[in-house]
Amino acid sequence: MSDILNKLVAVLEARKGADPESSYVAGLYAKGLDAILKKVGEEATETVIAAKEGNAEQIIYETADLWFHTLILLVDQGLHPDQVLEELARRFGTSGLEEKAQRTQRKQAD
């Protein structure tokens, strides 16, 4: 499944240097971080609305939009989805309560 993520990342990386007039993604990169964050927020909201309506097809569609725009954010910040997958793997098998307590302890140590 991560193969599609790698393919998308390759396209998103290529779009970073493209003419903003030639691609939606290139145009979003040209507008800067605030525009990317706005799109992530919009897509998150649309995903929430779809879930509230209980429409499975729409939930999938909106989640795909959210993930896509989140990938744009990651690439913009010089990050790769593998880093997120590694973090999820690190957390796997740890209860949410335990993980939250560990995060709180790390913040207090900083």
Side-chain angles (χ1 to χ4, degrees):
M1 187 57 95
S2 67
D3 187 47
I4 189 64
L5 292 178
N6 288 324
K7 289 177 182 178
L8 276 170
V9 167
V11 170
L12 296 176
E13 287 283 356
R15 296 291 192 271
K16 282 179 87 171
D19 177 2
E21 299 294 320
S22 70
S23 141
Y24 167 78
V25 172
L28 198 51
Y29 283 134
K31 291 176 185 173
L33 181 60
D34 285 347
I36 295 168
L37 295 174
K38 182 178 178 186
K39 281 305 294 180
V40 170
E42 287 174 10
E43 298 304 340
T45 300
E46 290 171 3
T47 302
V48 168
I49 291 168
K52 289 289 284 180
E53 293 173 353
N55 181 328
E57 187 175 312
Q58 198 64 27
I59 293 168
I60 292 167
Y61 181 87
E62 295 301 345
T63 300
D65 280 352
L66 175 58
W67 286 12
F68 179 76
H69 286 88
T70 301
L71 288 172
I72 293 171
L73 172 63
L74 289 173
V75 170
D76 180 70
Q77 297 296 298
L79 302 170
H80 194 279
D82 285 344
Q83 293 170 278
V84 178
L85 294 174
E86 288 168 10
E87 176 61 15
L88 288 171
R90 184 191 69 76
R91 294 181 189 185
F92 189 80
T94 303
S95 81
L97 295 174
E98 184 180 334
E99 196 281 327
K100 185 176 180 179
Q102 290 172 357
R103 207 173 340 133
T104 302
Q105 290 171 351
R106 281 195 302 267
K107 286 181 183 179
Q108 290 173 350
D110 292 340

